[in-house]
Amino acid sequence: MSQITQKTFTKISDYEWEISTDFRSDMRVPVRVFASQALLQEALKDKSIEQAVNASTLPGLVEAMMVMPDMHEGYGFPIGGVGATDPENGVISPGGIGYDINCGVRLLASRITLEEVEGWLPDLATSINHHCPSGVGVSSNLKLSKDELADACIKGSRWAKARGSATEADIKRTEDQGCLAGADPGKVSQRALERGRSQLGTLGGGNHFIEVDLITEVFDEHAASVMGLYRGELAVQIHTGSRGFGHQICTDYVRRLQGTINKFGIKLPDKQLVCAPIASEEGQDYLAAMRCGANYAFLNRQLLAEKVREAFERVLAGKVDHWKLKQVYDIAHNIGKFEEHNVQGDRKTVCVHRKGATRAFGPGSKDLPEEYMEIGQPVLVPGSMGTGSWVLTGTATSMLRSFGSSCHGAGRVMSRSQAKRNVWGEDLLKQLAQDGIEIRAGSLPGLAEEAPQAYKDVNEVVESVVGAGIGKRVALLRPLIVIKG
Amino acid sequence: MASHGYEEVDHTADIAIRVWGENFQALLRQAADGLYDLMGIKPIRNSPAEVRFDLPQGTKEDILVDFLNELLYLSDEKRQILNDFLFSENNDEFEIQAAGCQILSQERQIKAVTFHNLSVEETNHGFKAIITFDV
């Protein structure tokens, strides 16, 4: 393959670039990158664009293979990749969704000011850490039977509501109301169910976290007030996914599809892009299983949100006037879904793969709760540990240019081993403490891997998103408490 | 270079290792050691575990991924770390017997073993491969 350089791209705007299908003979659609020139240059240092070109060879893709500005090298799809396929002649690719099915972010708002709780932050950090099981190999307090788990992954967040662990407002303010239709536990392996039983209601490790944040800036007063976000008040982010349940589902289907790819006559440049026609038995089975993983993840974040609420009540009840947390939104950034979009000028249902990209539906979308119809969907963009996070909204442009998608975070620029070579976990812990951040972390080397230096500047990523018109700034958050497994 | 071994290869977000061995079974043993090393596992002494499992026959890439995914499952769900692998095979199956112990602690979670650009190559000295893990 020819080397990819700046010259490979056609400039569409200051924040949008394309590689045409002339670049490589097996490309089926162009690659469209949303990034500033500086971030595009950064992306050329790893294989993210090459992986997007590889992904553009998937059968049935429409319009373009998109890449968000927080892109980085993944496996198969790049992280930050968005690809939509035609349900009639297109494919579904488990690798285009990822092992952590429906990894995502939930944002809760409070009416608590920093002044009210400043003296209680260490207690609050300890209480959240105590209430929310986190870390590698840590099991859930829930002991579900296989039947209960099967029921849970059909119902998603509604399973929690039936047990008094979710409100109707929580459900309404979750992407797809916390439940994808068409989940079939019969398509999930016994091994996945076994892993799922012991991990529901746990945070996990790696880059997953719970943060208590301070809203430091508001850029769109109206949208922020609709979401319940006010400058000087606290908010909570929960970032996790479908745990070992989702990992096993993806593992099972990536393996199964390796054995069936030849019968469909599909040639791929990377085995991890393995796929099946959406209409095939294999494709339908994967979709039914993947939806179980997605519903499990919605439920997982719901159960953790309830635990965070308990922790807030335990520490702050009687000390502040309003300690309750209201849901702003819950979004997925590793998922595959059927959505209606403009394709070559026509409205068409397509299967949108988002791998490290967030849905960002604009104002007027019928899939949004009534109160967000006017402002557009909240888009949650966590920054690296110890730095700011953004709340954005989806736009009319995101609906036209990126299949209603936007970025999902800061995006890594440094490998984990390099981060550990450059940063001592203990030093980082001290630095974060000096910056006034309460940290509860299970592993110091793990903390070093997630050091802010290992990530892009989230502000640059957001500048590209806003510059490209696929997101609009609403509020900026600064961390006060970080819980990591 | 030693006749068998493993080393980490740079990857922006995930983790990859280069593995080599004088034959395919040695490559599997090195891949297992590399995986456990990446996970930062500390074992519980005097907690013996014995395991036997079969994998379906397939390409060397299939067997390598299946083998490592089985180890991941056993570490995640059963909290077991294995060594002393014995391999045998017939037309249908690849059989593995192993001894090991329970896990005391683990620093890093590995979500899965991927097929990303995976190719088990025969060399003059045996076999080699680069394996990418999702973390």
PDB file of all heavy atoms in Angstrom, chain A residues 109 172-173 218 220-230 326-329 369-378 391 393 474:
ATOM      1  N   ALA A 109     -26.391  14.967  37.164  1.00  0.00           N
ATOM      2  CA  ALA A 109     -26.249  16.366  37.603  1.00  0.00           C
ATOM      3  C   ALA A 109     -26.710  16.490  39.049  1.00  0.00           C
ATOM      4  O   ALA A 109     -27.544  15.717  39.520  1.00  0.00           O
ATOM      5  CB  ALA A 109     -27.103  17.268  36.719  1.00  0.00           C
ATOM      6  N   LYS A 172     -35.728   7.358  30.537  1.00  0.00           N
ATOM      7  CA  LYS A 172     -36.027   8.271  29.432  1.00  0.00           C
ATOM      8  C   LYS A 172     -34.762   8.970  28.940  1.00  0.00           C
ATOM      9  O   LYS A 172     -34.608   9.249  27.754  1.00  0.00           O
ATOM     10  CB  LYS A 172     -37.035   9.312  29.930  1.00  0.00           C
ATOM     11  CG  LYS A 172     -37.940   9.871  28.864  1.00  0.00           C
ATOM     12  CD  LYS A 172     -39.042  10.724  29.462  1.00  0.00           C
ATOM     13  CE  LYS A 172     -38.479  11.971  30.093  1.00  0.00           C
ATOM     14  NZ  LYS A 172     -39.439  13.055  30.287  1.00  0.00           N
ATOM     15  N   ARG A 173     -33.848   9.269  29.873  1.00  0.00           N
ATOM     16  CA  ARG A 173     -32.627   9.996  29.511  1.00  0.00           C
ATOM     17  C   ARG A 173     -31.450   9.034  29.285  1.00  0.00           C
ATOM     18  O   ARG A 173     -30.317   9.307  29.703  1.00  0.00           O
ATOM     19  CB  ARG A 173     -32.304  11.019  30.589  1.00  0.00           C
ATOM     20  CG  ARG A 173     -33.279  12.186  30.581  1.00  0.00           C
ATOM     21  CD  ARG A 173     -32.892  13.224  31.594  1.00  0.00           C
ATOM     22  NE  ARG A 173     -33.642  14.458  31.386  1.00  0.00           N
ATOM     23  CZ  ARG A 173     -33.262  15.644  31.848  1.00  0.00           C
ATOM     24  NH1 ARG A 173     -32.131  15.750  32.541  1.00  0.00           N
ATOM     25  NH2 ARG A 173     -33.983  16.723  31.643  1.00  0.00           N
ATOM     26  N   VAL A 218     -19.846  27.311  31.437  1.00  0.00           N
ATOM     27  CA  VAL A 218     -21.035  26.991  30.651  1.00  0.00           C
ATOM     28  C   VAL A 218     -21.008  27.851  29.394  1.00  0.00           C
ATOM     29  O   VAL A 218     -20.839  29.069  29.464  1.00  0.00           O
ATOM     30  CB  VAL A 218     -22.321  27.249  31.473  1.00  0.00           C
ATOM     31  CG1 VAL A 218     -23.554  27.173  30.588  1.00  0.00           C
ATOM     32  CG2 VAL A 218     -22.428  26.229  32.614  1.00  0.00           C
ATOM     33  N   ASP A 220     -23.338  27.276  26.720  1.00  0.00           N
ATOM     34  CA  ASP A 220     -24.707  27.407  26.191  1.00  0.00           C
ATOM     35  C   ASP A 220     -25.647  27.319  27.396  1.00  0.00           C
ATOM     36  O   ASP A 220     -26.009  26.223  27.842  1.00  0.00           O
ATOM     37  CB  ASP A 220     -24.965  26.276  25.183  1.00  0.00           C
ATOM     38  CG  ASP A 220     -26.346  26.364  24.547  1.00  0.00           C
ATOM     39  OD1 ASP A 220     -27.260  26.949  25.161  1.00  0.00           O
ATOM     40  OD2 ASP A 220     -26.523  25.829  23.431  1.00  0.00           O
ATOM     41  N   GLU A 221     -25.999  28.506  27.934  1.00  0.00           N
ATOM     42  CA  GLU A 221     -26.786  28.572  29.184  1.00  0.00           C
ATOM     43  C   GLU A 221     -28.111  27.825  29.028  1.00  0.00           C
ATOM     44  O   GLU A 221     -28.537  27.108  29.936  1.00  0.00           O
ATOM     45  CB  GLU A 221     -27.088  30.034  29.546  1.00  0.00           C
ATOM     46  CG  GLU A 221     -25.872  30.872  29.881  1.00  0.00           C
ATOM     47  CD  GLU A 221     -25.396  30.687  31.315  1.00  0.00           C
ATOM     48  OE1 GLU A 221     -26.069  29.976  32.074  1.00  0.00           O
ATOM     49  OE2 GLU A 221     -24.320  31.236  31.634  1.00  0.00           O
ATOM     50  N   HIS A 222     -28.748  27.991  27.883  1.00  0.00           N
ATOM     51  CA  HIS A 222     -30.066  27.386  27.707  1.00  0.00           C
ATOM     52  C   HIS A 222     -29.968  25.856  27.697  1.00  0.00           C
ATOM     53  O   HIS A 222     -30.662  25.175  28.470  1.00  0.00           O
ATOM     54  CB  HIS A 222     -30.705  27.898  26.416  1.00  0.00           C
ATOM     55  CG  HIS A 222     -32.013  27.242  26.124  1.00  0.00           C
ATOM     56  ND1 HIS A 222     -33.101  27.310  26.981  1.00  0.00           N
ATOM     57  CD2 HIS A 222     -32.404  26.442  25.085  1.00  0.00           C
ATOM     58  CE1 HIS A 222     -34.107  26.604  26.479  1.00  0.00           C
ATOM     59  NE2 HIS A 222     -33.706  26.065  25.338  1.00  0.00           N
ATOM     60  N   ALA A 223     -29.069  25.332  26.850  1.00  0.00           N
ATOM     61  CA  ALA A 223     -28.941  23.867  26.768  1.00  0.00           C
ATOM     62  C   ALA A 223     -28.513  23.300  28.122  1.00  0.00           C
ATOM     63  O   ALA A 223     -29.024  22.265  28.568  1.00  0.00           O
ATOM     64  CB  ALA A 223     -27.931  23.491  25.688  1.00  0.00           C
ATOM     65  N   ALA A 224     -27.578  23.992  28.791  1.00  0.00           N
ATOM     66  CA  ALA A 224     -27.105  23.497  30.093  1.00  0.00           C
ATOM     67  C   ALA A 224     -28.245  23.465  31.105  1.00  0.00           C
ATOM     68  O   ALA A 224     -28.388  22.490  31.860  1.00  0.00           O
ATOM     69  CB  ALA A 224     -25.961  24.376  30.595  1.00  0.00           C
ATOM     70  N   SER A 225     -29.074  24.509  31.117  1.00  0.00           N
ATOM     71  CA  SER A 225     -30.163  24.523  32.105  1.00  0.00           C
ATOM     72  C   SER A 225     -31.203  23.448  31.791  1.00  0.00           C
ATOM     73  O   SER A 225     -31.768  22.837  32.697  1.00  0.00           O
ATOM     74  CB  SER A 225     -30.795  25.911  32.204  1.00  0.00           C
ATOM     75  OG  SER A 225     -31.528  26.178  31.036  1.00  0.00           O
ATOM     76  N   VAL A 226     -31.411  23.160  30.503  1.00  0.00           N
ATOM     77  CA  VAL A 226     -32.335  22.068  30.146  1.00  0.00           C
ATOM     78  C   VAL A 226     -31.793  20.737  30.684  1.00  0.00           C
ATOM     79  O   VAL A 226     -32.532  19.885  31.160  1.00  0.00           O
ATOM     80  CB  VAL A 226     -32.533  22.002  28.611  1.00  0.00           C
ATOM     81  CG1 VAL A 226     -33.298  20.741  28.211  1.00  0.00           C
ATOM     82  CG2 VAL A 226     -33.277  23.239  28.116  1.00  0.00           C
ATOM     83  N   MET A 227     -30.468  20.594  30.644  1.00  0.00           N
ATOM     84  CA  MET A 227     -29.848  19.351  31.152  1.00  0.00           C
ATOM     85  C   MET A 227     -29.716  19.356  32.672  1.00  0.00           C
ATOM     86  O   MET A 227     -29.406  18.318  33.264  1.00  0.00           O
ATOM     87  CB  MET A 227     -28.438  19.200  30.544  1.00  0.00           C
ATOM     88  CG  MET A 227     -28.419  18.999  29.053  1.00  0.00           C
ATOM     89  SD  MET A 227     -26.693  18.784  28.514  1.00  0.00           S
ATOM     90  CE  MET A 227     -26.817  19.215  26.792  1.00  0.00           C
ATOM     91  N   GLY A 228     -29.905  20.510  33.299  1.00  0.00           N
ATOM     92  CA  GLY A 228     -29.747  20.590  34.762  1.00  0.00           C
ATOM     93  C   GLY A 228     -28.311  20.827  35.188  1.00  0.00           C
ATOM     94  O   GLY A 228     -27.918  20.465  36.306  1.00  0.00           O
ATOM     95  N   LEU A 229     -27.512  21.449  34.287  1.00  0.00           N
ATOM     96  CA  LEU A 229     -26.101  21.712  34.587  1.00  0.00           C
ATOM     97  C   LEU A 229     -25.907  23.205  34.835  1.00  0.00           C
ATOM     98  O   LEU A 229     -26.290  24.033  33.991  1.00  0.00           O
ATOM     99  CB  LEU A 229     -25.219  21.269  33.412  1.00  0.00           C
ATOM    100  CG  LEU A 229     -25.281  19.778  33.037  1.00  0.00           C
ATOM    101  CD1 LEU A 229     -24.497  19.516  31.753  1.00  0.00           C
ATOM    102  CD2 LEU A 229     -24.750  18.897  34.165  1.00  0.00           C
ATOM    103  N   TYR A 230     -25.311  23.563  35.992  1.00  0.00           N
ATOM    104  CA  TYR A 230     -25.110  24.967  36.346  1.00  0.00           C
ATOM    105  C   TYR A 230     -23.672  25.165  36.829  1.00  0.00           C
ATOM    106  O   TYR A 230     -23.128  24.322  37.564  1.00  0.00           O
ATOM    107  CB  TYR A 230     -26.093  25.390  37.437  1.00  0.00           C
ATOM    108  CG  TYR A 230     -27.534  25.245  37.000  1.00  0.00           C
ATOM    109  CD1 TYR A 230     -28.249  24.073  37.279  1.00  0.00           C
ATOM    110  CD2 TYR A 230     -28.161  26.256  36.277  1.00  0.00           C
ATOM    111  CE1 TYR A 230     -29.556  23.917  36.857  1.00  0.00           C
ATOM    112  CE2 TYR A 230     -29.472  26.111  35.849  1.00  0.00           C
ATOM    113  CZ  TYR A 230     -30.160  24.943  36.136  1.00  0.00           C
ATOM    114  OH  TYR A 230     -31.460  24.786  35.706  1.00  0.00           O
ATOM    115  N   LYS A 326     -29.560  13.727  39.473  1.00  0.00           N
ATOM    116  CA  LYS A 326     -30.505  13.495  38.378  1.00  0.00           C
ATOM    117  C   LYS A 326     -29.753  13.150  37.100  1.00  0.00           C
ATOM    118  O   LYS A 326     -28.724  13.773  36.802  1.00  0.00           O
ATOM    119  CB  LYS A 326     -31.336  14.760  38.127  1.00  0.00           C
ATOM    120  CG  LYS A 326     -32.410  14.995  39.171  1.00  0.00           C
ATOM    121  CD  LYS A 326     -33.316  16.115  38.730  1.00  0.00           C
ATOM    122  CE  LYS A 326     -34.384  16.341  39.799  1.00  0.00           C
ATOM    123  NZ  LYS A 326     -35.148  17.561  39.564  1.00  0.00           N
ATOM    124  N   GLN A 327     -30.301  12.217  36.380  1.00  0.00           N
ATOM    125  CA  GLN A 327     -29.615  11.799  35.164  1.00  0.00           C
ATOM    126  C   GLN A 327     -29.691  12.876  34.081  1.00  0.00           C
ATOM    127  O   GLN A 327     -30.769  13.399  33.794  1.00  0.00           O
ATOM    128  CB  GLN A 327     -30.246  10.506  34.644  1.00  0.00           C
ATOM    129  CG  GLN A 327     -29.550   9.995  33.404  1.00  0.00           C
ATOM    130  CD  GLN A 327     -29.347   8.493  33.464  1.00  0.00           C
ATOM    131  OE1 GLN A 327     -29.047   7.959  34.524  1.00  0.00           O
ATOM    132  NE2 GLN A 327     -29.509   7.834  32.360  1.00  0.00           N
ATOM    133  N   VAL A 328     -28.530  13.158  33.472  1.00  0.00           N
ATOM    134  CA  VAL A 328     -28.502  14.049  32.303  1.00  0.00           C
ATOM    135  C   VAL A 328     -28.660  13.200  31.037  1.00  0.00           C
ATOM    136  O   VAL A 328     -29.568  13.407  30.239  1.00  0.00           O
ATOM    137  CB  VAL A 328     -27.176  14.849  32.246  1.00  0.00           C
ATOM    138  CG1 VAL A 328     -27.109  15.682  30.963  1.00  0.00           C
ATOM    139  CG2 VAL A 328     -27.052  15.739  33.475  1.00  0.00           C
ATOM    140  N   TYR A 329     -27.776  12.225  30.888  1.00  0.00           N
ATOM    141  CA  TYR A 329     -27.896  11.322  29.742  1.00  0.00           C
ATOM    142  C   TYR A 329     -26.926  10.160  29.906  1.00  0.00           C
ATOM    143  O   TYR A 329     -25.987  10.225  30.715  1.00  0.00           O
ATOM    144  CB  TYR A 329     -27.611  12.058  28.420  1.00  0.00           C
ATOM    145  CG  TYR A 329     -28.359  11.461  27.251  1.00  0.00           C
ATOM    146  CD1 TYR A 329     -29.749  11.384  27.257  1.00  0.00           C
ATOM    147  CD2 TYR A 329     -27.690  10.957  26.132  1.00  0.00           C
ATOM    148  CE1 TYR A 329     -30.444  10.829  26.188  1.00  0.00           C
ATOM    149  CE2 TYR A 329     -28.376  10.411  25.061  1.00  0.00           C
ATOM    150  CZ  TYR A 329     -29.755  10.347  25.105  1.00  0.00           C
ATOM    151  OH  TYR A 329     -30.446   9.797  24.042  1.00  0.00           O
ATOM    152  N   PRO A 369     -35.443  12.297  24.109  1.00  0.00           N
ATOM    153  CA  PRO A 369     -36.521  12.648  25.024  1.00  0.00           C
ATOM    154  C   PRO A 369     -37.043  14.056  24.690  1.00  0.00           C
ATOM    155  O   PRO A 369     -36.290  14.887  24.156  1.00  0.00           O
ATOM    156  CB  PRO A 369     -35.868  12.602  26.405  1.00  0.00           C
ATOM    157  CG  PRO A 369     -34.412  12.538  26.194  1.00  0.00           C
ATOM    158  CD  PRO A 369     -34.167  12.074  24.796  1.00  0.00           C
ATOM    159  N   GLU A 370     -38.302  14.289  25.019  1.00  0.00           N
ATOM    160  CA  GLU A 370     -38.979  15.522  24.610  1.00  0.00           C
ATOM    161  C   GLU A 370     -38.174  16.775  24.972  1.00  0.00           C
ATOM    162  O   GLU A 370     -38.033  17.703  24.173  1.00  0.00           O
ATOM    163  CB  GLU A 370     -40.339  15.557  25.300  1.00  0.00           C
ATOM    164  CG  GLU A 370     -41.321  16.481  24.666  1.00  0.00           C
ATOM    165  CD  GLU A 370     -42.636  16.490  25.441  1.00  0.00           C
ATOM    166  OE1 GLU A 370     -42.931  15.494  26.139  1.00  0.00           O
ATOM    167  OE2 GLU A 370     -43.321  17.512  25.367  1.00  0.00           O
ATOM    168  N   GLU A 371     -37.592  16.774  26.191  1.00  0.00           N
ATOM    169  CA  GLU A 371     -36.910  17.996  26.651  1.00  0.00           C
ATOM    170  C   GLU A 371     -35.626  18.283  25.866  1.00  0.00           C
ATOM    171  O   GLU A 371     -35.121  19.402  25.909  1.00  0.00           O
ATOM    172  CB  GLU A 371     -36.607  17.912  28.150  1.00  0.00           C
ATOM    173  CG  GLU A 371     -35.667  16.803  28.586  1.00  0.00           C
ATOM    174  CD  GLU A 371     -36.388  15.508  28.933  1.00  0.00           C
ATOM    175  OE1 GLU A 371     -37.444  15.225  28.324  1.00  0.00           O
ATOM    176  OE2 GLU A 371     -35.894  14.767  29.816  1.00  0.00           O
ATOM    177  N   TYR A 372     -35.089  17.259  25.164  1.00  0.00           N
ATOM    178  CA  TYR A 372     -33.863  17.477  24.388  1.00  0.00           C
ATOM    179  C   TYR A 372     -34.122  17.684  22.894  1.00  0.00           C
ATOM    180  O   TYR A 372     -33.181  17.882  22.119  1.00  0.00           O
ATOM    181  CB  TYR A 372     -32.890  16.308  24.583  1.00  0.00           C
ATOM    182  CG  TYR A 372     -32.322  16.182  25.980  1.00  0.00           C
ATOM    183  CD1 TYR A 372     -31.893  14.961  26.483  1.00  0.00           C
ATOM    184  CD2 TYR A 372     -32.210  17.298  26.812  1.00  0.00           C
ATOM    185  CE1 TYR A 372     -31.374  14.835  27.774  1.00  0.00           C
ATOM    186  CE2 TYR A 372     -31.704  17.189  28.104  1.00  0.00           C
ATOM    187  CZ  TYR A 372     -31.288  15.962  28.573  1.00  0.00           C
ATOM    188  OH  TYR A 372     -30.776  15.862  29.840  1.00  0.00           O
ATOM    189  N   MET A 373     -35.397  17.625  22.506  1.00  0.00           N
ATOM    190  CA  MET A 373     -35.722  17.767  21.075  1.00  0.00           C
ATOM    191  C   MET A 373     -35.258  19.115  20.524  1.00  0.00           C
ATOM    192  O   MET A 373     -34.806  19.207  19.393  1.00  0.00           O
ATOM    193  CB  MET A 373     -37.236  17.651  20.879  1.00  0.00           C
ATOM    194  CG  MET A 373     -37.768  16.269  21.067  1.00  0.00           C
ATOM    195  SD  MET A 373     -37.444  15.235  19.653  1.00  0.00           S
ATOM    196  CE  MET A 373     -38.835  15.627  18.636  1.00  0.00           C
ATOM    197  N   GLU A 374     -35.343  20.137  21.355  1.00  0.00           N
ATOM    198  CA  GLU A 374     -34.998  21.483  20.884  1.00  0.00           C
ATOM    199  C   GLU A 374     -33.476  21.709  20.863  1.00  0.00           C
ATOM    200  O   GLU A 374     -32.942  22.338  19.948  1.00  0.00           O
ATOM    201  CB  GLU A 374     -35.656  22.512  21.813  1.00  0.00           C
ATOM    202  CG  GLU A 374     -35.421  23.942  21.393  1.00  0.00           C
ATOM    203  CD  GLU A 374     -35.498  24.917  22.563  1.00  0.00           C
ATOM    204  OE1 GLU A 374     -36.000  24.532  23.633  1.00  0.00           O
ATOM    205  OE2 GLU A 374     -35.008  26.048  22.389  1.00  0.00           O
ATOM    206  N   ILE A 375     -32.776  21.151  21.859  1.00  0.00           N
ATOM    207  CA  ILE A 375     -31.330  21.460  21.976  1.00  0.00           C
ATOM    208  C   ILE A 375     -30.438  20.425  21.290  1.00  0.00           C
ATOM    209  O   ILE A 375     -29.264  20.681  21.035  1.00  0.00           O
ATOM    210  CB  ILE A 375     -30.906  21.588  23.462  1.00  0.00           C
ATOM    211  CG1 ILE A 375     -31.124  20.271  24.226  1.00  0.00           C
ATOM    212  CG2 ILE A 375     -31.622  22.749  24.137  1.00  0.00           C
ATOM    213  CD1 ILE A 375     -30.502  20.247  25.626  1.00  0.00           C
ATOM    214  N   GLY A 376     -30.969  19.258  21.022  1.00  0.00           N
ATOM    215  CA  GLY A 376     -30.133  18.174  20.473  1.00  0.00           C
ATOM    216  C   GLY A 376     -29.650  17.257  21.596  1.00  0.00           C
ATOM    217  O   GLY A 376     -29.762  17.575  22.776  1.00  0.00           O
ATOM    218  N   GLN A 377     -29.090  16.133  21.192  1.00  0.00           N
ATOM    219  CA  GLN A 377     -28.694  15.103  22.167  1.00  0.00           C
ATOM    220  C   GLN A 377     -27.433  15.512  22.943  1.00  0.00           C
ATOM    221  O   GLN A 377     -26.476  15.992  22.346  1.00  0.00           O
ATOM    222  CB  GLN A 377     -28.410  13.808  21.415  1.00  0.00           C
ATOM    223  CG  GLN A 377     -28.016  12.649  22.295  1.00  0.00           C
ATOM    224  CD  GLN A 377     -27.099  11.688  21.569  1.00  0.00           C
ATOM    225  OE1 GLN A 377     -27.473  11.158  20.527  1.00  0.00           O
ATOM    226  NE2 GLN A 377     -25.916  11.472  22.098  1.00  0.00           N
ATOM    227  N   PRO A 378     -27.446  15.331  24.265  1.00  0.00           N
ATOM    228  CA  PRO A 378     -26.192  15.544  25.007  1.00  0.00           C
ATOM    229  C   PRO A 378     -25.121  14.545  24.545  1.00  0.00           C
ATOM    230  O   PRO A 378     -25.389  13.356  24.382  1.00  0.00           O
ATOM    231  CB  PRO A 378     -26.588  15.264  26.465  1.00  0.00           C
ATOM    232  CG  PRO A 378     -28.068  15.437  26.508  1.00  0.00           C
ATOM    233  CD  PRO A 378     -28.562  14.988  25.164  1.00  0.00           C
ATOM    234  N   VAL A 391     -19.283  18.561  27.849  1.00  0.00           N
ATOM    235  CA  VAL A 391     -20.644  18.202  27.462  1.00  0.00           C
ATOM    236  C   VAL A 391     -20.953  19.009  26.211  1.00  0.00           C
ATOM    237  O   VAL A 391     -20.790  20.238  26.199  1.00  0.00           O
ATOM    238  CB  VAL A 391     -21.662  18.542  28.577  1.00  0.00           C
ATOM    239  CG1 VAL A 391     -23.073  18.136  28.138  1.00  0.00           C
ATOM    240  CG2 VAL A 391     -21.282  17.850  29.879  1.00  0.00           C
ATOM    241  N   THR A 393     -23.595  19.122  22.427  1.00  0.00           N
ATOM    242  CA  THR A 393     -24.854  18.622  21.867  1.00  0.00           C
ATOM    243  C   THR A 393     -24.638  18.271  20.396  1.00  0.00           C
ATOM    244  O   THR A 393     -23.769  18.859  19.724  1.00  0.00           O
ATOM    245  CB  THR A 393     -25.988  19.672  21.949  1.00  0.00           C
ATOM    246  OG1 THR A 393     -25.488  20.937  21.544  1.00  0.00           O
ATOM    247  CG2 THR A 393     -26.579  19.747  23.341  1.00  0.00           C
ATOM    248  N   VAL A 474     -21.402  22.940  25.297  1.00  0.00           N
ATOM    249  CA  VAL A 474     -22.398  23.279  26.313  1.00  0.00           C
ATOM    250  C   VAL A 474     -21.719  23.595  27.645  1.00  0.00           C
ATOM    251  O   VAL A 474     -21.942  24.657  28.223  1.00  0.00           O
ATOM    252  CB  VAL A 474     -23.425  22.139  26.503  1.00  0.00           C
ATOM    253  CG1 VAL A 474     -24.393  22.458  27.646  1.00  0.00           C
ATOM    254  CG2 VAL A 474     -24.200  21.907  25.213  1.00  0.00           C
TER     255      VAL A 474
END
